[in-house]
Amino acid sequence: MGNNGSVERRTVLKAGGASVAALGLAATTGCGGDGGGSGGGPVEIRFAWWGAEERAKRINQTIALFEKKYPKIKVKTDFQDYVAFWEKFQTQAAGGNPPDVFQNAVAFLQKYDKRSVLLDLKSQVDAGNLSLKNFRAGVEKVGEVNGKLLGVPVGSNTMSLVIDEKVFEKAGIKPKQGWTWDEYFSALKKIRDTQKVSGDTGYFGIMYLYDLYLRQNGKAFFTEDGLGFDEADLTEWWSDGYNRVKAGIITDPKKVEQLKPKSALASGDGASEFTWDNFTVRYTTEGDSAYGLAPIPTTDGKETGQYLSSLMLSASARTKHPKEVAQFINFMVHDPEVGKIMGYDRGILATTEQFDAYKPTDAPQQAIAKYEEDVAAAGVLGTITPHPAGADTVEAAFLRIAADMSTGKTKVSAAVKQFFSEAKTALAA
């Protein structure tokens, strides 16, 4: 886990059901030990994640496979939508009773490491219960913080630009690797003038896109212990966005809000939208046009600032079953059958065993895989920016305050001051 991703995570990952108990099926044990168990008896571990019903169905299928391979380990499951998950997790963590293993994202690693909630999994790697081999493009580094292994990626994603291909084609615009922000904004104006539709749905409120822009200019949204930019930087970014809204090349923010949970791109009220590449499948289900992935605009015609982010699996420092938890994580990230079941639900599969095992047949997922391959081949991927404790609260503030600024509820200068005030408080907590 990472933009309008805060909104999209609440939409795309909306959970529609309650907890589901996984089935235990007896069979042979797997590699890495005797299948776990204290004194030969069964062990129960708790696994929690956020996601939709479809994700829950897929995960429970993989758990059935795991329990078949490790019959002495039973997995009790729980899932919520994104917001409810973290509300519940925070309560559990504060009470000293977090789940043994859980889905996690980069924005939460420092936060919960600081509170001694997360297990350093390096000891389980050393013990042979967890392998860090065969990860794609070094994505396993995403879970390393302060010399500790706090999460193991299950999938990778990167920021992308999703476009309405029909609108772009009619406007005579062909995005290319290395195009600049000036070229992008010129394209948006041409789309508005010729196709009578706003060119972008609101780039300026996406924290992770702003991070890319800062990285293109030698800075970053976060440093290891705070913000990597100043008020002047943000004033320029938000003033630019506000002016483009007023110029009509950005979708009216009030319209965007009214359309939710549907995207303004899918509704035909915008021609492009920045988001994580693995979210692309939503547009095909929501809209009736053709949607594609285009390169991120650049400042210098070369660097996009992109990096691979990831959803990952982390473990509780309080778990009584670290070996069994490590075996579970190892199975979930390496087993080929798990890869076939999960597909790209949580991003492009992180390990080569799973990536090679899953062959997407539908166009949207094929496009996602190709996009990440193309980005990697272009040599623009860098190392993910560290996220300090409080990053999740900072992201929520960025999204909310940008929305208020864009709809005229607050002036740019006041919005910038409010953001820095709230960010300072969040990062000091």
Side-chain angles (χ1 to χ4, degrees):
M1 124 192 10
N3 57 20
N4 51 358
S6 277
V7 171
E8 287 183 333
R9 280 193 284 265
R10 295 181 178 116
T11 302
V12 178
L13 305 178
K14 180 96 173 173
S19 301
V20 182
L23 298 174
L25 304 175
T28 61
T29 60
C31 60
D34 60 0
S38 176
V43 163
E44 181 179 87
I45 60 174
R46 294 158 52 218
F47 174 39
W49 71 91
W50 67 84
E53 275 285 357
E54 180 60 30
R55 178 175 294 176
K57 291 177 183 177
R58 292 173 186 264
I59 286 179
N60 277 288
Q61 288 180 52
T62 67
I63 288 171
L65 290 179
F66 173 77
E67 290 184 332
K68 184 177 180 179
K69 193 168 187 177
Y70 293 85
K72 293 183 180 180
I73 307 175
K74 306 304 177 185
V75 183
K76 184 178 181 180
T77 67
D78 185 24
F79 80 99
Q80 318 281 331
D81 69 19
Y82 181 79
V83 176
F85 173 89
W86 286 111
E87 289 175 348
K88 183 174 182 178
F89 184 86
Q90 182 153 320
T91 299
Q92 291 173 323
N97 189 38
D100 296 282
V101 60
F102 51 94
Q103 187 171 284
N104 205 351
V106 66
F108 299 91
L109 294 180
Q110 292 261 34
K111 176 177 182 176
Y112 286 108
D113 180 44
K114 187 177 179 181
R115 300 179 186 181
S116 301
V117 173
L118 304 180
L119 177 68
D120 182 356
L121 290 162
K122 281 192 173 181
S123 61
Q124 294 302 316
V125 175
D126 294 340
N129 298 319
L130 175 61
S131 172
L132 293 183
K133 295 180 180 179
N134 301 329
F135 277 84
R136 297 175 47 250
V139 71
E140 76 279 2
K141 299 293 184 182
V142 175
E144 294 184 3
V145 175
N146 300 327
K148 304 174 185 177
L149 179 62
L150 302 180
V152 180
V154 293
S156 67
N157 57 7
T158 191
M159 282 297 297
S160 66
L161 174 63
V162 185
I163 63 171
D164 185 320
E165 293 181 324
K166 293 181 179 179
V167 173
F168 269 67
E169 184 177 352
K170 289 179 181 178
I173 299 167
K174 295 182 179 180
K176 62 183 184 299
Q177 190 72 42
W179 68 333
T180 65
W181 286 102
D182 286 342
E183 290 173 323
Y184 176 65
F185 291 129
S186 294
L188 301 189
K189 183 177 184 300
K190 186 176 181 181
I191 287 171
R192 182 205 62 187
D193 293 344
T194 63
Q195 306 304 309
K196 309 305 178 186
V197 63
S198 299
D200 180 280
T201 64
Y203 71 93
F204 49 82
I206 306 171
M207 187 194 85
Y208 284 99
L209 178 65
Y210 186 42
D211 184 29
L212 300 197
Y213 179 79
L214 289 168
R215 287 162 63 94
Q216 291 175 15
N217 290 277
K219 298 186 177 183
F221 196 99
F222 290 118
T223 64
E224 291 187 3
D225 54 7
L227 299 177
F229 61 102
D230 58 27
E231 291 190 15
D233 295 320
L234 184 56
T235 298
E236 179 183 17
W237 179 256
W238 274 351
S239 294
D240 180 79
Y242 182 78
N243 290 335
R244 295 186 195 282
V245 169
K246 293 305 175 185
I249 67 172
I250 306 296
T251 310
D252 182 349
K254 293 179 181 178
K255 179 69 173 179
V256 173
E257 201 62 36
Q258 291 169 357
L259 289 166
K260 290 177 182 176
K262 191 172 187 177
S263 162
L265 174 60
S267 70
D269 292 282
S272 66
E273 184 165 288
F274 291 94
T275 187
W276 297 105
D277 58 4
N278 65 307
F279 286 174
T280 308
V281 293
R282 72 171 293 196
Y283 303 104
T284 301
T285 58
E286 289 182 1
D288 56 8
S289 189
Y291 307 98
L293 289 161
I296 296 288
T298 69
T299 298
D300 62 0
K302 297 178 182 178
E303 299 297 328
T304 64
Q306 286 169 283
Y307 48 81
L308 291 180
S309 187
S310 176
L311 285 181
M312 61 191 78
L313 297 180
S314 292
S316 166
R318 288 179 171 264
T319 183
K320 296 178 180 178
H321 311 293
K323 174 184 176 181
E324 289 79 7
V325 163
Q327 290 173 325
F328 177 77
I329 294 175
N330 193 70
F331 183 85
M332 289 299 173
V333 300
H334 288 288
D335 187 83
E337 291 303 314
V338 170
K340 291 178 182 179
I341 292 170
M342 293 307 303
Y344 296 159
D345 180 86
R346 297 176 297 190
I348 303 298
L349 293 157
T351 60
T352 56
E353 298 101 318
Q354 294 190 346
F355 182 80
D356 292 341
Y358 176 66
K359 303 298 181 185
T361 57
D362 60 294
Q365 296 204 62
Q366 288 175 338
I368 295 168
K370 186 178 186 305
Y371 183 77
E372 287 206 10
E373 289 173 351
D374 289 346
V375 170
V380 296
L381 288 174
T383 304
I384 191 169
T385 307
H387 285 52
D392 56 319
T393 304
V394 173
E395 179 185 358
F398 189 88
L399 178 68
R400 169 173 44 81
I401 295 169
D404 288 345
M405 176 276 298
S406 65
T407 55
K409 292 181 181 179
T410 181
K411 293 182 178 180
V412 171
S413 58
V416 170
K417 291 187 180 301
Q418 181 185 354
F419 170 77
F420 273 83
S421 175
E422 291 192 23
K424 182 179 179 180
T425 300
L427 295 171

